[in-house]
């Protein structure tokens, strides 16, 4: 989970920031207009998309912002998402830059890799366009790469490809470009395995460039987690071979929260699925989820509830923070059952064990504030 650390000193402090900043960052992302603007461009793209097309992209330049949107046709999306096959890094020469001594191999969702390959020649030209845009606006550049469902997967792959290109230049000079680059996906499936997740997460700067929005009513983000996909292979954990990376903005009608820890993301996606399993219409499971209404709903939701509403649970601020986030994404209510209590206890234990390894989200919070101040007008 996110942990805000204004002073990076090794002193012992209350563990509450481990969870409290998750909703702060989520509210900041929503109030900045970032999600609304990104989804608006995806909607425009869908209106232009020919149903016979597999995938389409379009760039939108606004002032010193460049927004690049990716979308796939509903028909091809439902067909391709039924295939969970992974393709190894040995078959992905364009992503060999992700290999290192600590992460020598990885695998990516075959459908996403195929769609990226289908657009390769166009994306070469797009990358040149982005470089020209960066040269024009320099440190004032704001680059948003966005996509929905499998379009989000391709958006993530293009972002990685672009980050490597930026990294090949003067590294110190181009750090500001990377900091002002953000990939926002809506309802995208998990993209790769543990090796893929580790290859990205080893760079906190790269990892912070990805914000994945997932609604509790959307099946796709949790599709490749074993309980929701009976064909998913169980390699090293109950959640299967696919692992999340980046930051996840999980949302429901009750609110939203941000989560960065990969294991916590997997657990929460699974919990969200179990919570909505009984009320979701099976006939709608494969329909493409429209994020327009949830995004508008989040814009109108009042700030998170105060800790006082948790009664005696406020004695333990870490536990209270966990409960607030689970409530925000519709996983539990204040009246908890045995299952939700077990989930809270497990997350509390995991959080404490990982405290020393927790990600520093303060830099990304500052970056998000830059977007909020700019408002993408």
């Amino acid at each position: 989970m996110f942990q805000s650390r204004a002073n990076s000193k090794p002193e012992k402090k209350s563990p509450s920031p481990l969870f409290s900043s998750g909703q702060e960052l989520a509210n900041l992302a929503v109030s900045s207009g970032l999600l609304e603007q990104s989804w608006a461009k995806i909607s425009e793209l869908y209106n232009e998309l020919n149903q016979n097309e597999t995938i389409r992209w379009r760039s939108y330049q606004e002032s010193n912002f460049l927004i690049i949107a990716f979308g796939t046709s509903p028909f091809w999306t439902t067909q391709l998402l039924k295939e969970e096959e992974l393709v190894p890094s040995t078959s992905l020469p364009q992503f060999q830059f992700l290999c290192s001594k600590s992460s020598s191999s990885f695998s990516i969702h075959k459908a996403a890799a195929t769609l990226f390959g289908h657009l390769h020649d166009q994306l070469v030209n797009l990358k040149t366009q982005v470089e020209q845009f960066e040269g024009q606006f320099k440190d004032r550049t704001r680059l948003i790469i966005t996509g929905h469902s499998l379009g989000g997967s391709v958006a993530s792959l293009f972002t990685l490809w672009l980050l490597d290109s930026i990294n090949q230049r003067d590294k110190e000079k181009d750090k500001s470009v990377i900091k002002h680059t953000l990939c926002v996906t809506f309802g995208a499936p998990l993209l790769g395995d543990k090796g893929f997740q580790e290859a990205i997460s080893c760079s906190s700067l790269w990892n912070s460039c990805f914000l994945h929005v997932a609604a509790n009513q959307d099946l796709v983000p949790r599709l490749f987690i074993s309980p929701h996909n009976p064909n998913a292979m169980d390699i090293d954990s109950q959640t299967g071979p696919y692992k999340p990376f980046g930051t996840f903005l999980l949302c429901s009608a009750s609110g939203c929260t941000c989560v960065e820890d990969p294991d916590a993301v997997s657990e929460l996606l699974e919990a969200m699925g179990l919570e909505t399993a009984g009320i979701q219409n099976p006939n709608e499971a494969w329909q493409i989820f429209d994020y327009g209404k949830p995004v508008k709903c989040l814009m109108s939701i009042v700030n998170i509830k105060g800790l006082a509403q948790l009664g005696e649970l406020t004695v333990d601020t870490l536990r209270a923070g966990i409960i607030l986030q689970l409530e925000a994404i519709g996983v539990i209510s204040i009246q908890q059952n045995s299952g939700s209590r077990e989930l809270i206890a497990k997350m509390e234990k995991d959080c404490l064990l990982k405290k020393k390894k927790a990600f520093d989200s303060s830099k990304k919070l500052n970056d998000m504030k830059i977007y909020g101040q700019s408002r993408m007008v």
Side-chain angles (χ1 to χ4, degrees):
M1 294 284 179
F2 272 97
Q3 180 179 17
S4 295
R5 297 186 306 208
N7 298 310
S8 55
K9 298 179 181 179
E11 56 190 86
K12 292 184 179 181
K13 295 183 179 181
S14 168
S16 58
L18 286 167
F19 278 80
S20 62
S21 62
Q23 286 180 316
E24 177 188 352
L25 180 55
N27 287 342
L28 185 57
V30 173
S31 62
S32 70
L34 175 65
L35 304 186
E36 190 174 36
Q37 289 284 349
S38 297
W39 183 257
K41 299 310 179 187
I42 292 173
S43 297
E44 285 185 36
L45 185 66
Y46 273 135
N47 290 333
E48 302 168 0
L49 187 65
N50 185 320
Q51 293 304 304
N52 294 324
E53 289 181 281
T54 308
I55 185 169
R56 173 181 282 207
W57 65 270
R58 184 177 171 185
S59 61
Y60 305 84
Q61 184 170 336
E62 300 187 3
S63 183
N64 61 326
F65 272 93
L66 181 64
I67 304 177
I68 301 171
F70 291 86
T72 51
S73 71
F75 172 77
W76 283 109
T77 297
T78 55
Q79 296 303 309
L80 292 171
L81 283 176
K82 292 177 181 178
E83 301 177 9
E84 61 157 315
E85 185 179 351
L86 289 158
V87 57
S89 53
T90 51
S91 301
L92 300 166
Q94 63 271 49
F95 293 103
Q96 285 300 304
F97 61 85
L98 289 172
C99 293
S100 64
K101 291 182 179 180
S102 59
S103 182
S104 58
S105 65
F106 60 87
S107 296
I108 294 175
H109 184 209
K110 184 178 180 179
T114 299
L115 289 171
F116 181 88
H118 179 70
L119 291 177
H120 184 269
D121 290 345
Q122 296 180 47
L123 296 182
V124 170
N125 294 329
L126 177 58
K127 186 163 67 169
T128 301
Q129 178 186 343
V130 171
E131 291 171 351
Q132 292 173 345
F133 181 78
E134 291 169 355
Q136 180 181 357
F137 290 97
K138 301 186 184 301
D139 59 345
R140 295 183 293 117
T141 301
R142 300 290 182 271
L143 175 61
I144 308 297
I145 303 168
T146 188
H148 178 224
S149 194
L150 275 173
S153 297
V154 176
S156 291
L157 291 177
F158 177 70
T159 301
L160 287 169
W161 199 43
L162 189 62
L163 290 175
D164 177 62
S165 176
I166 296 172
N167 197 52
Q168 296 304 314
R169 308 178 211 152
D170 185 334
K171 295 185 180 180
E172 290 301 319
K173 179 180 178 181
D174 289 304
K175 275 186 178 180
S176 62
V177 177
I178 294 177
K179 287 180 180 179
H180 295 156
T181 298
L182 187 65
C183 177
V184 182
T185 71
F186 295 87
L190 298 184
L191 183 53
D193 65 357
K194 186 175 182 180
F196 182 68
Q197 174 246 304
E198 290 178 343
I200 300 171
S201 299
C202 68
S203 169
S204 59
L205 190 58
W206 282 29
N207 195 63
S208 70
C209 290
F210 296 89
L211 180 66
H212 307 291
V213 183
N216 65 335
Q217 293 293 325
D218 189 2
L219 168 69
V220 175
R222 58 182 183 270
L223 185 62
F224 297 145
I225 295 179
S226 296
H228 305 283
N229 184 1
N231 298 318
M233 299 174 289
D234 191 351
I235 291 182
D236 59 2
S237 77
Q238 63 177 2
T239 55
Y242 282 88
K243 303 296 178 184
F245 68 94
T247 303
F248 274 69
L249 192 154
L250 306 177
C251 60
S252 72
S254 303
C256 59
T257 191
C258 278
V259 188
E260 186 172 348
D261 179 78
D263 293 333
V265 170
S266 295
E267 290 174 359
L268 290 176
L269 285 174
E270 182 179 345
M272 288 168 68
L274 294 174
E275 189 70 20
T276 58
I279 59 176
Q280 189 172 40
N281 186 340
N283 295 323
E284 297 179 354
W286 281 104
Q287 291 185 10
I288 303 302
F289 188 81
D290 185 349
Y291 277 80
K293 291 182 179 179
V295 168
K296 288 183 178 179
C297 180
L298 290 176
M299 290 287 288
S300 63
I301 289 179
V302 182
N303 287 335
I304 59 173
K305 302 174 183 178
L307 291 178
Q309 297 186 38
L310 292 171
E312 33 180 73
L313 287 175
T314 58
V315 175
D316 186 337
T317 54
L318 170 60
R319 187 177 180 82
I322 295 172
I323 293 170
L324 280 173
Q325 291 204 87
L326 294 179
E327 284 183 359
I329 59 176
V331 170
I332 65 170
S333 62
I334 295 179
Q335 300 300 322
Q336 302 153 30
N337 55 35
S338 59
S340 62
R341 286 194 293 272
E342 289 178 6
L343 176 61
I344 293 167
K346 183 179 186 303
M347 294 188 68
E348 185 177 15
K349 180 180 178 181
D350 290 345
C351 188
L352 291 173
L353 288 174
K354 295 177 180 178
K355 181 179 178 182
K356 293 182 180 179
K357 299 180 180 179
F359 293 101
D360 182 359
S361 67
S362 58
K363 292 182 179 179
K364 196 55 188 179
L365 278 167
N366 290 332
D367 291 342
M368 192 68 75
K369 289 175 184 176
I370 293 174
Y371 289 105
Q373 292 167 356
S374 301
R375 302 288 296 181
M376 296 199 302
V377 177

